[in-house]
Structure formats: structure tokens, C-alpha cells
Amino acid sequence: MTRDFRLLAAGQGFSWLGNAFQTVALAVAVITTGDGARDLGLVMATNILTLLAGTLFGGIWADRLQPQRVMVASDAIRFAATAGIAAMFATGGYHLTLLCVLTVVSAGAGSFFNPAMSALKPLLVPAEDRQKANATLSLLQSMCGVAGPATAGITVAVFGAPAGFAINAVSFLASLAAVAMIRVRAPRGPRASAIHELRSGWREISSRSWLFSNLMGASVYHVANGVILVLVQIVAFERLGGAHAIGWIAAAEGLGGVIGSAIGIRLRPRRLLFAGLLALPLMSVWAFAYVWPGTLAAIMIGAVIGYAGLLFYDVAWDTSLQENVPHRALGRVSSWDYMTSFVAMPIGNALAGPLSDRFGIDRVLTVCGCVLLVASTAMLLVPASRRLTRTGQPAPDPLSPHTDPLPAAVMPVDPMPDPVTAKSG
């Protein structure tokens, strides 16, 4: 792998470790000092809503500027906001409004980081190495998911939630320093209006049936997932042992990610997206384990199985985007991906408390697990998702430094016409 890729991996490794501390610290701090599921759901919904509000603009600027510049600015802002959260809990003054404000600042910066990173990744390695690079980053993230939560659970249990937030703040500085040293430069063309660029990015999506259908299916998936992500924290804290249980379950999720990512490095099926979609329904096993048998050991096994499927799907999805979407639009397409995939999650976060109060946690988790299973399976019904084949090359894009013109015989083919490409010709 190239020097620039190693820098990105190193910076993100520190950041992903820090995120594990943030996850545990937030759940413990809000549940112990706030109003349980309602406050936690509100904070999580605030985070997601802010990400959604800023993501499309983040995609525009990721395609306009050098991605590194966007990422460095984002890390600096997130450092300041997370340090503020740490200071708030350290001084013993829990204020839900202030926590939501700082969450808005941090998530707003993060909404620019994610599309920029999506635009940067394919520039760091040759086209034939992109699946391996995606899987390597996924593997690193999953390994951090194994080491981070267990360590975070112990750290938060011993030193308190403020220590977890402080460690996460420092991790943003490490990411900032690494990204700032990346040398690769993305060629940038002339700018158009923001509305025109957003519509252009959407046309890249709507002209590809596999891409459009997967985004719509993921939106339904995340309605249920938004509810689940709140309630499983409550179950782990109240029934399974508190911060230690949250940490061990998160570690099991990370171990599952390691397995799924390792498979992504080794397994290179011709129909990569189809293989990923076959693995995605395994996430329902994780959700059902909280209801039956409901033991910590069973939930950890379900987490390993579910997250192995999820992370392999993520590798397949990222590689499919990089091979079939021109790099000039990748930031905007990624931003639409983030927005449409998670547009329903804040609704799920906000409904978690009221639904569990009325119907009970176990019943709500069972129904939501069924929704995960149905939504992920439904994506397989789209013929283009089953037929999309790997080429080992990116989509034709004369602005990409790693792209050579492809002969017609090996150009990626989508069953639906691409009006953007057709008009540009």
C-alpha cells in the first residue's frame, strides 16, 4: 500500500479507537445522569439529524476542494466540541440542551468528513487494489472495535464518562495530523451552482437501478435500526451489567467486523455486491439475540455473526461505488448515500422510548429485527443488484489520476441508461 494510504489508515485507526470511548461514555453518562432512553434517543437523533442536514453540502465541497482540507477542518471542529462535552460532564453539570448543541457542532463537522473521505480513498491506491484497500480499512476499524470498547468500558467504569470523551477528543487531533500529511491531489474541474451539482449527483444515482434500490432499501432498514440502537444500550445497561456489558458487546461487534473484513480481503467474487447482499440479513440475528435467549454470551455471538455480514456488505458496497461511479461525482454520490440511507434513523431513535414504554422492549426489538430481515432481503429482488459484476477498474473518469481509458469490452455496464453520461457526450 502507498504512503498516503498508510497515513489515512493510521489517522483513522486512532479516530476509530476514540469513537469506541465516545460510544460507551455517552451511553453511561446520559443513562446515569439523564432520563434514560428518552434523553439518549434525543441525543442520538440530534446527531443523525445534523449529519443529514450537512451531508449533501459536505459532498459538494468534497468534490470542489481537496478532500484533505475538508477532513482537517472537520477534525479540528470535532476536537473542540468533544472536549467541551468532556468538560461539561467533568464539572458535574449535565445540561441536555448544551449536550445537544455540542452534538450538533460535532456532527455538523462530521457530515463534511465522511463524503470527503469517500472521495479521498480511491485516490490513494491503484484501481485494482481498491477492494483490498476498502477491506483493510474495514478490518482496521473492526479491530479498533474489538480493542476499543472493552478498554473503554473499563476506563469509563474506573475513571468516569469524562475520561472517555477526553480520549475521543485527542483522537481527532491524531487524525488531523495524519490527514494533513497526505500528498495526493485530486484534479478538480469548474464549479457549478450548488443546486446543479446536487442534481447532477442525484442523477448519477437514479440512473443506476442497483444503486437507487439499495439506497431506498437501506432507508427502510434504518427505521428499525434507529430504534434498535437505542434499546440495546438500555438492555445492556439495565439487564446485563452496565458499562462492562456495553463494552463487551461492542467488542463482539468489532470481532464480527474483523471476520467480515478479513473475508472481504480474501474473497473476490465476480458478483461482489450480490455476495454482500447475501450476508447483510445476518444482522437480524444480532437483534433477535437481545430477546431470546437474552444472555450476554448469546448476544455477543449474535453480534459477531451480524457484524461479520454487515462489514462484508460494506466492503462490497464501497468497492461497487468506486468501480461504477465517476470520481468527479463520488463525493456527492456518497453524500446522497449517507443521507438516503440514514434519513429514517432519527425517527427510529426518537420513537425508541415511546414505543418501548407502550409495547415493551422485547416486543419492539422483535418487530424491528423482522424489519431488518425483510428490508435487507428485499434488496436482492432487484435484478441489477444480483447482476452487477466487478471489473477491477474504476468508472471511466478522465480526471482521476489512477484511471486509464477503458476499452468498451470492460467498461462497467448498468442495466439502466445513464442520462448524465449520455448528455455529456
Side-chain angles (χ1 to χ4, degrees):
M1 294 295 178
T2 65
R3 169 190 175 275
D4 285 340
F5 178 81
R6 292 194 298 271
L7 282 170
L8 177 67
Q12 287 308 293
F14 285 114
S15 184
W16 288 326
L17 280 173
N19 286 342
F21 283 82
Q22 171 91 353
T23 299
V24 176
L26 180 64
V28 171
V30 174
I31 291 173
T32 55
T33 61
D35 190 21
R38 292 183 182 274
D39 279 12
L40 183 59
L42 180 60
V43 173
M44 293 174 70
T46 299
N47 180 75
I48 296 296
L49 284 170
T50 306
L51 286 170
L52 293 176
T55 291
L56 293 181
F57 297 100
I60 291 174
W61 286 103
D63 287 336
R64 286 180 172 181
L65 302 178
Q66 294 300 319
Q68 302 94 302
R69 294 176 60 186
V70 178
M71 295 165 69
V72 165
S74 173
D75 276 336
I77 295 171
R78 290 190 290 177
F79 161 74
T82 307
I85 295 174
M88 180 187 71
F89 282 109
T91 57
Y94 171 72
H95 301 286
L96 179 60
T97 300
L98 178 58
L99 178 58
C100 288
V101 169
L102 292 172
T103 298
V104 166
V105 174
S106 180
S111 70
F112 280 69
F113 187 95
N114 293 329
M117 182 171 169
S118 295
L120 179 64
K121 286 190 296 184
L123 296 173
L124 303 182
V125 295
E128 63 271 16
D129 291 336
R130 288 180 182 174
Q131 180 182 340
K132 181 179 179 181
N134 291 328
T136 299
L137 287 174
S138 180
L139 177 62
L140 176 61
Q141 184 175 14
S142 299
M143 292 174 64
C144 293
V146 173
T151 306
I154 296 172
T155 301
V156 171
V158 174
F159 298 103
F165 292 115
I167 291 172
N168 189 39
V170 173
S171 74
F172 287 126
L173 288 182
S175 173
L176 184 157
V179 172
M181 291 188 287
I182 292 177
R183 297 172 181 170
V184 70
R185 291 294 178 264
R188 291 296 182 236
R191 298 180 184 177
S193 68
I195 296 298
H196 175 83
E197 291 183 355
L198 283 177
R199 291 174 61 186
S200 175
W202 178 251
R203 284 197 298 268
E204 295 284 353
I205 294 170
S206 61
S207 64
R208 295 167 171 82
S209 60
W210 63 271
L211 180 49
F212 179 81
S213 62
N214 273 258
L215 296 190
M216 296 302 102
S219 296
V220 177
Y221 178 99
H222 285 296
V223 174
N225 203 33
V227 176
I228 292 171
L229 289 174
V230 174
L231 296 185
V232 296
Q233 302 280 3
I234 304 300
V235 171
F237 190 83
E238 295 182 350
R239 301 181 188 176
L240 302 174
H244 292 285
I246 294 173
W248 283 114
I249 292 171
E253 294 168 356
L255 176 59
V258 169
I259 295 172
S261 302
I263 294 172
I265 292 176
R266 303 288 298 179
L267 184 64
R268 299 175 65 86
R270 186 164 177 263
R271 297 185 180 183
L272 179 60
L273 181 59
F274 178 52
L277 286 170
L278 288 175
L280 184 58
L282 293 174
M283 276 295 287
S284 60
V285 175
W286 164 74
F288 291 139
Y290 281 90
V291 180
W292 186 88
T295 64
L296 180 59
I299 291 169
M300 291 175 67
I301 293 172
V304 171
I305 294 171
Y307 276 80
L310 177 64
L311 268 293
F312 179 72
Y313 170 78
D314 284 347
V315 172
W317 180 249
D318 286 345
T319 306
S320 298
L321 287 180
Q322 292 168 5
E323 289 192 351
N324 293 277
V325 176
H327 186 269
R328 57 177 166 76
L330 190 56
R332 281 165 289 161
V333 169
S334 296
S335 68
W336 279 111
D337 179 14
Y338 290 123
M339 194 193 77
T340 57
S341 294
F342 294 96
V343 68
M345 188 176 285
I347 299 175
N349 292 155
L351 289 177
L355 287 176
S356 62
D357 287 344
R358 178 162 185 178
F359 300 105
I361 289 179
D362 288 351
R363 186 176 297 178
V364 174
L365 283 175
T366 300
V367 172
C368 289
C370 292
V371 174
L372 293 188
L373 180 60
V374 172
S376 55
T377 303
M379 299 180 201
L380 287 165
L381 300 179
V382 179
S385 296
R386 300 193 303 270
R387 297 171 185 169
L388 190 71
T389 57
R390 292 204 64 234
T391 65
Q393 297 289 338
D397 183 358
L399 295 181
S400 174
H402 285 301
T403 303
D404 294 323
L406 299 178
V410 298
M411 287 179 64
V413 177
D414 188 274
M416 294 185 66
D418 182 350
V420 177
T421 303
K423 288 179 181 179
S424 66

